[in-house]
Structure formats: C-alpha cells, structure tokens
Amino acid sequence: MLADHEVHFRGQPILLIVAENDDAAHEAYQLIQIQMEPLPIITDPREAFAQGKLLSPSRKFVMGNVDEAFAQCTYIFEGQTESGGQEHLYLETQGAYAYPTEHNSVRIHSSTQGPTAVQRTVARVLGVGMNQVEVDVARLGGGFGGKEDQASGWGAMAALVAFVLKKPAKCVPHRMEDMRMTGKRNPYSSDYKIGFDANHRILAYQATFYQNGGAAADLSPAILERTLFHATNTYHIPNVQVTAHSCKTNLPPNTAFRGFGGPQGMFVIESALDHAAKSLGIATYTLQRKNMMGNGYEFSYGQVVEQCQATACWDELNKQYPFDELQTQINTFNQQNRYYKKAFSLMPICFGISFTNTLMNQARALVHVYTDGSVGISTGAVEMGQGVNTKMVQVAAHHFGIDTRLVKLETTNTTRVANTSPSAASATADLNGKALEDACLQITQRLLAFAADVLQLTPTDIPKLALKNNTVWVDDRQTTLTWADLVRQAYMKRLNLSAKGHYATPLIHFDKTIEKGHPFAYHVYGTALTIVTLDCLRGTYTFDAVNVVHDFGSTMNRQIDIGQCEGGIVQGIGWMTLEDVVYNADGRLLSNALSTYKIPDVYAVPEQINLHFLQTEGHDLAIFKSKAVGEPPLMYGIGAYFAVRNAIKVFNPQANIPYNAPITPEKVLMALYNPLV
Ligand code: LUZ
Ligand code: MOS
C-alpha cells in the first residue's frame, strides 16, 4: 500500500497521515522530513525496453508469413508513430469512506468500478478474510477505466484506519493529487511496416508496440493484449506479425482507459494506411475501403469473422454522405478560401466484446419479489454514468411484465452479489443483464406454473401464459389475474419468490501458449466521417460534423446508446487532438490541472454529431440483442486526427507531419508553416 525501501514514481504514497480534519493533516505534513537518495529515472518506453525493463513477458500474434509476403510486395511503407496518454478526469475523484462493523469487520463505500477488487485488496492489507470486508457502491461520478484497478489503494487506506482506530475514516484526494498520483491511458511508441500488391491490396502488416506501462503492472499486460487483438482494425490482411512489449518506466502505473489498448493499436494501422495512400497518391478512404474485411476472414488470433457489419456500415455512410461529392465540394471551398481549409477522414472500427481474460466473463444477480408485487434487484454492475442501472431495471421489468416503477435497483454490494468482475470491457450490461435475466426467468417459471393452477389450466398450457402489462395473459388474451394478486397468492402457497442468477459467456476461449482462440462473444462495427475546418492563421480547428453509421444491434435504449456514442466521440477527439499529458525528465507531471491540461469543452465539440443506426438483427450474446456500446465509439475520435492532418496538407502540401498524437493546435501551427518559414 505504501512505498517500501524504494519509491518507483513521483506520486507514489509513502506515508499516511490520520487526522481529525484537513488542517490538522496539513500541519502534520509540514513537520515531516524525508531523506531520499536519487536513482536513475526512465520515462521513455523504448529506453526501458533497451534496458530490459519489462512488466510482463512480451507477446506476439502471428498469421501467415510476413517475411515471405513482403518479398512479394510491390509497395512497402515503414514508419513510426506515437500516441499520448490521457487523464481520465472523472468528475468525482478517487476516494473511499470506511467504518468498523460487527465481528471485526469493515464496510467501505468506494468510488470503484471493481467492488470485488477493493474487497480483495483490503482483506489482504488487513490480513482478514474477504467475508470481513463489505464494499458498497451507490454510483460513481465517472470512471472511464481509471477506477477499474486504481480505486483499491484509497479503499485500503480508509479501511486500515477504520479497522485499527475503530472509527470512520475518509480518504479522498484533491483533484491535483489525483492527477499526479494515478495512472492514465498508456502512451505507445510503435513501429509499422505495411506491404501491398500492385492492386493496392495489403499482403502483410508488421508492427511492434512499446507500451509505456509506468512503474507497476496494474492492467498494462491485459491492455497490451487488446492492442494486439485490434492491431489490424477492420482490414483483411493475410499475413500479420504484431509484437508488443509492456515497458516499465518511472511514471504512475498506467491503466485501463475506455478502449483499453484497442485505440492505441488502431491508431498505428490507420497511420500506416494513411502513409501508404499519401505515397501512392490515392485517397486514404479508397485504400481503406479496398482492404475492408468480411465474413470468413480469420483474425491473427484465430477467431473467424461472422455477422460482419464493417462494409455495411461503411457503404451506408457513403450512401448518406457520398465521399467523392463531399471531396468536390471541399475542393471548391478550399479554392475560394485562402486561410480556412476543410478536409475529412473516414474511421472504421471493429471492437471485440468480452474481457480478453476469459475467466472474467461471468456475473451474478439477486432478485426478490416482495409480497406486494414490488421487486428488488441487485447485480454486480456499477453505475458510472453509462446508464447501466436503467438497462438493468428494463431487463427485470420486461421479464416480469411490470412497470419499471415497481422495480428498485439496490446498490452494488459485495454481500448481495459476490465475486464480481469490474464494470469494464463494455460488457457490464451484457454480463449482468444476462445474469439478471437468469434470475428473473427462474421466478417467472415458478409463477407461470402457479398461474396455470390458479386459472385452472393444465401444465401443458403453461407455454401459452405470459406476464405483460402487470397481468397474466393466456394466448395473447389478458386475464383478470394481476401481477400483484399472483404474487400474493404464490406467497401464501409458500413459493420461492427470490432467485440468484448466474451467467458465464458461452463459446469463448483463448489459448495463450499459441495465441489463438475465440476470445470475443461478438464484435461491434461502425464508420465515422469527420469533417474539419482549419484556421490556418491560428492553427485552431473546429469539427463541422462527425457523421456515423453504427452497429447498435437492436438497441434496448436509444437515448442511452446515443449518449454513449456522443460522449465516446468527444472523448476520443480529446485524446487525439487536445489532451497532452506532459511529464518532465524527472517523471513529474507538469499537466496536473485544467489550466495546463486541455480537455474538450463546448467549443471543441463537433457542431453536428449525426448517428445513424445500422438496421440489423443484433446478436444473441448481447442483452436483448442490444450490442455493447461503452467503448467502441471512442475510436471514432481517431478520425479527427486524420481530418486535421489532411487539412494541414491542403494548406501546406510540403508539410512533413510525423504520425504523433495528439495533434494539438501548437503542433498544427508548426506544421502549417513548416518548411515554409
Ligand atoms: N478490462 C479488463 C477491460 O480487465 N479486460 C479487458 O479485456 C478489458 N477490455 C476493455 C476494457 N477493460
Ligand atoms: Mo474499462 S477501460 O472498460 O475499465
């Protein structure tokens, strides 16, 4: 919990001051003197790699033979990319509140995406059983991955104080402390090599990823894996060799952030394609579309593409906003405007849904039907603004055929639902929704069998019964037996009105020894068209529109899903264009406040975000066939980088712009006049 002998990064907790109030704590802090001997500091992942400093064994996914394929290529392009970190900037900082309870136990209210992770860590720090640690989560003011693994420290500090002093304790960092002490999105340094035949078809792709992991493993090894899973994005590439190294540096341990390594991998292949297209003198979108994958394509990790919507989304977008016509209009605008230049880009996405660690794809739920017909439900899902609570209530209300008003969702609590996976990987609604569905169906089966009795039908009639509109229906005809009556009578006959549901995603598996398997329940697809206007005197830009065709499956809540897409797009634009996490050579965070770290504001939001729902059946492994929506839209933001880059090229075709993100206004201004001045 605290540094021992060596401090590995600036911001690592060294000691814990317990005081009755903030002022007293600060006074005590002033009295402390620490003597430390400086050690060498590494902040760059390539340097860490050269010194053999790794957080976990390196990984390599291979399909076909890239060496043989490159020998056959007509065109080969090689280069390097950099993508930066990203501060989560959840509105509510990290924090926990703990108090002692009976039987030498402790209860913790934690701002965590992973209640069980906090419970496990606290039990270990206190040296007690997990059954002596209760974690309760009402909701979070945002998580974005930052509280998947990094909430545990704050929970442990609060719990330690409560456990030892037998008094309530609260541990909540100030915003600037939170920014300095916690890890962020992993920055990546990458090398790519891409080869094409004479018809511009990709024959081979090779990439090496140097992940900046920070000072401890945290989730970086899992993030590294997802980078490899998404390294080829939506493209049909027969020969692939991608290698990834998780490099240990002296920065706060970097961690999960919406997309979880996927965006970092996709940025590299999109850079490689853009590099190739510009060198070949063709539109990047022509090259992208030509190489789009389809059903039957085998990813480098062995999963075969099914129910592919990649070209369906792309082509529908092209139908609604014809790209060639748009280019013609933009050309006219650019001829008529000397200091404003417009450009656009296309960003297709394919994101795998499931925790890549197969065992984490499990969930449980607890349902009680009370004697008055009201319902209480508990799941392992944590609400952090993504709307999962609403979706859980929808699941229960639908299966019982009752108004959502009759359903109450309890807090997420480790004594009601144990051994939870964190709310992460976009999989929370699917996993917990399916577990909840299992519990609801156990109860409805009992109730419908009982209803057949009450209505004086035979057991063979049970399949004709349904619960709808707060009543029992037979063969699509409403009966006079209401839900409330049914429940009350069932109780009087001593029926079990509670159930525990369980779900483990079927079909998925992965063998790390050969790096092959079927790790994802399904994939989510979509394409974004991003149009930008660049102010070539100032280096600033505004996004005219982000137009998207997205594969929601069969959405169970349109408003929530639209909200997730809009938020993801804006957060992705922030990562790619504005947000610059800066450490000095000593590993001190310089961008530790909103005055030095620029996040999207109302002016940075695209003037229009137009979301089109692709018409599809949805997927059976998605709850109510409504596909996971949390992370995929973030990657549309990558399109913003390429749109801005294209606009610079219109003004200054000679500009030599490295594939480095974020492409901040400062960098844009330099590129606009380089090498002109
Ligand atoms: N967390 C995790 C995640 O532990 N495993 C994952 O595969 C994942 N994917 C996305 C976001 N968080
Ligand atoms: Mo996450 S990056 O789904 O905690």
Side-chain angles (χ1 to χ4, degrees):
M1 194 180 77
L2 301 172
D4 192 19
H5 303 301
E6 254 183 39
V7 175
H8 295 143
F9 63 93
R10 284 181 198 275
Q12 184 174 3
I14 299 174
L15 55 89
L16 181 62
I17 297 169
V18 183
E20 293 199 345
N21 57 54
D22 260 4
D23 290 346
H26 278 106
E27 249 177 76
Y29 174 73
Q30 302 299 331
L31 300 175
I32 292 164
Q33 293 193 348
I34 296 180
Q35 291 184 346
M36 285 200 284
E37 201 186 306
L39 291 171
I41 291 167
I42 299 178
T43 60
D44 179 72
R46 288 182 192 264
E47 190 184 334
F49 179 76
Q51 296 192 21
K53 292 187 188 300
L54 294 178
L55 291 166
S56 60
S58 297
R59 304 279 297 270
K60 184 189 276 192
F61 287 9
V62 179
M63 183 169 62
N65 185 323
V66 286
D67 293 330
E68 283 173 17
F70 279 124
Q72 307 294 317
C73 286
T74 313
Y75 308 102
I76 294 178
F77 304 96
E78 287 182 74
Q80 296 194 337
T81 73
E82 300 278 341
S83 64
Q86 188 174 21
E87 162 62 40
H88 300 87
L89 222 99
Y90 21 66
L91 277 179
E92 176 199 22
T93 60
Q94 303 271 359
Y97 174 67
Y99 46 95
T101 52
E102 284 190 53
H103 307 300
N104 204 29
S105 300
V106 60
R107 183 178 295 136
I108 304 151
H109 296 270
S110 165
S111 183
T112 180
Q113 294 173 240
T116 297
V118 174
Q119 181 192 23
R120 188 182 296 118
T121 308
V122 168
R124 202 162 140 194
V125 168
L126 301 187
V128 300
M130 284 171 75
N131 61 354
Q132 287 163 273
V133 180
E134 174 182 345
V135 177
D136 190 275
V137 183
R139 68 189 66 74
L140 318 187
F144 307 116
K147 297 168 183 170
E148 183 178 338
D149 242 33
Q150 299 211 351
S152 302
W154 315 96
M157 291 187 234
L160 181 71
V161 175
F163 191 73
V164 173
L165 299 182
K166 300 292 175 217
K167 284 184 179 168
K170 195 175 192 175
C171 186
V172 179
H174 183 276
R175 171 69 61 188
M176 281 158 109
E177 290 164 348
D178 185 305
M179 289 177 80
R180 273 184 42 219
M181 295 172 76
T182 64
K184 318 195 182 305
R185 183 188 292 286
N186 298 84
Y188 274 58
S189 278
S190 312
D191 301 331
Y192 63 81
K193 180 175 177 185
I194 191 164
F196 298 82
D197 68 13
N199 296 318
H200 301 159
R201 284 198 194 281
I202 310 173
L203 291 185
Y205 181 63
Q206 188 171 13
T208 308
F209 302 99
Y210 299 90
Q211 178 198 55
N212 193 334
D218 195 275
L219 287 161
S220 289
I223 293 162
L224 190 79
E225 187 175 49
R226 196 176 271 280
T227 300
L228 296 179
F229 285 121
H230 297 316
T232 54
N233 195 13
T234 49
Y235 303 108
H236 179 108
I237 311 182
N239 300 282
V240 177
Q241 182 179 305
V242 284
T243 310
H245 308 294
S246 188
C247 307
K248 180 173 174 167
T249 59
N250 301 107
L251 297 179
N254 287 316
T255 193
F257 196 132
R258 203 173 190 177
F260 204 76
Q264 290 97 318
M266 289 186 197
F267 178 67
V268 181
I269 183 89
E270 293 300 330
S271 296
L273 281 169
D274 189 68
H275 174 181
K278 299 287 188 289
S279 307
L280 294 167
I282 59 175
T284 306
Y285 65 85
T286 307
L287 197 60
Q288 288 170 305
R289 178 63 183 84
K290 178 167 236 167
N291 287 287
M292 203 67 84
M293 69 184 193
N295 285 329
Y297 173 67
E298 184 182 329
F299 288 110
S300 68
Y301 50 92
Q303 185 159 343
V304 175
V305 177
E306 299 162 302
Q307 300 184 38
C308 183
Q309 310 293 356
T311 54
C313 290
W314 180 288
D315 293 345
E316 179 60 26
L317 191 67
N318 194 13
K319 204 166 106 193
Q320 303 220 17
Y321 308 91
F323 309 149
D324 291 338
E325 281 171 36
L326 178 63
Q327 187 62 66
T328 309
Q329 287 164 14
I330 284 182
N331 290 347
T332 309
F333 175 93
N334 288 341
Q335 277 153 16
Q336 292 167 352
N337 289 275
R338 176 143 182 230
Y339 285 112
Y340 285 98
K341 299 295 179 191
K342 285 186 191 286
F344 68 91
S345 74
L346 272 297
M347 181 64 203
I349 59 149
C350 166
F351 196 79
I353 302 303
S354 287
F355 287 96
T356 59
N357 184 2
T358 303
L359 85 84
M360 293 171 80
N361 296 285
Q362 54 171 308
R364 277 152 294 277
L366 176 65
V367 176
H368 298 311
V369 177
Y370 295 97
T371 53
D372 64 352
S374 66
V375 174
I377 62 175
S378 307
T379 77
V382 170
E383 175 63 54
M384 49 189 140
Q386 85 280 43
V388 72
N389 279 3
T390 304
K391 288 187 174 180
M392 294 304 103
V393 169
Q394 279 183 264
V395 169
H398 173 84
H399 282 294
F400 294 140
I402 56 177
D403 294 344
T404 51
R405 274 182 290 121
L406 286 178
V407 182
K408 181 192 172 200
L409 185 93
E410 305 291 349
T411 59
T412 314
N413 185 298
T414 52
T415 66
R416 278 191 288 275
V417 177
N419 308 327
T420 58
S421 290
S423 286
S426 306
T428 312
D430 282 357
L431 296 175
N432 292 279
K434 294 263 186 181
L436 177 58
E437 190 164 65
D438 176 46
C440 293
L441 287 172
Q442 292 172 41
I443 296 173
T444 56
Q445 272 161 20
R446 285 178 219 140
L447 284 176
L448 289 177
F450 177 67
D453 236 22
V454 175
L455 295 167
Q456 297 179 334
L457 302 170
T458 66
T460 50
D461 292 322
I462 295 173
K464 298 179 192 158
L465 299 185
L467 298 169
K468 270 190 306 197
N469 292 352
N470 308 302
T471 17
V472 178
W473 292 55
V474 183
D475 275 336
D476 285 329
R477 273 179 297 104
Q478 193 160 8
T479 70
T480 54
L481 181 58
T482 65
W483 162 259
D485 272 344
L486 176 67
V487 167
R488 193 173 40 220
Q489 291 188 44
Y491 170 71
M492 292 192 313
K493 291 285 182 203
R494 298 187 292 172
L495 248 70
N496 179 0
L497 293 175
S498 296
K500 195 78 203 255
H502 172 82
Y503 180 73
T505 312
L507 305 176
I508 53 172
H509 58 90
F510 193 72
D511 182 351
K512 279 193 191 184
T513 62
I514 52 170
E515 305 285 27
K516 299 281 179 193
H518 187 106
F520 298 119
Y522 58 89
H523 289 85
V524 170
Y525 299 90
T527 304
L529 165 65
T530 304
I531 307 169
V532 72
T533 304
L534 191 60
D535 177 335
C536 299
L537 282 176
R538 295 171 183 81
T540 53
Y541 38 81
T542 50
F543 296 101
D544 303 12
V546 177
N547 301 323
V548 175
V549 173
H550 185 83
D551 161 30
F552 293 88
S554 167
T555 181
M556 69 184 282
N557 192 316
R558 236 181 134 82
Q559 293 308 316
I560 286 177
D561 287 358
I562 288 172
Q564 285 295 295
C565 274
E566 291 177 345
I569 288 166
V570 172
Q571 198 166 35
I573 290 175
W575 173 51
M576 280 281 111
T577 68
L578 296 174
E579 300 181 38
D580 208 358
V581 176
V582 182
Y583 292 95
N584 70 9
D586 279 351
R588 175 184 291 277
L589 181 68
L590 301 179
S591 50
N592 70 334
L594 287 175
S595 53
T596 47
Y597 185 73
K598 178 76 178 144
I599 62 158
D601 56 15
V602 68
Y603 303 104
V605 172
E607 281 168 26
Q608 290 185 37
I609 295 180
N610 298 304
L611 298 171
H612 302 274
F613 287 60
L614 186 75
Q615 293 299 321
T616 64
E617 278 273 294
H619 199 284
D620 285 334
L621 294 182
I623 182 69
F624 289 178
K625 298 187 177 234
S626 179
K627 281 188 166 185
V629 73
E631 295 171 287
L634 181 129
M635 282 148 273
Y636 293 136
I638 296 172
Y641 173 93
F642 291 97
V644 171
R645 201 178 185 286
N646 289 342
I648 299 171
K649 285 281 198 182
V650 175
F651 183 79
N652 177 10
Q654 312 305 322
N656 179 17
I657 314 164
Y659 287 99
N660 292 355
I663 189 158
T664 56
E666 293 87 337
K667 285 192 204 159
V668 171
L669 197 59
M670 298 302 281
L672 284 168
Y673 296 97
N674 173 10
L676 294 187
V677 289

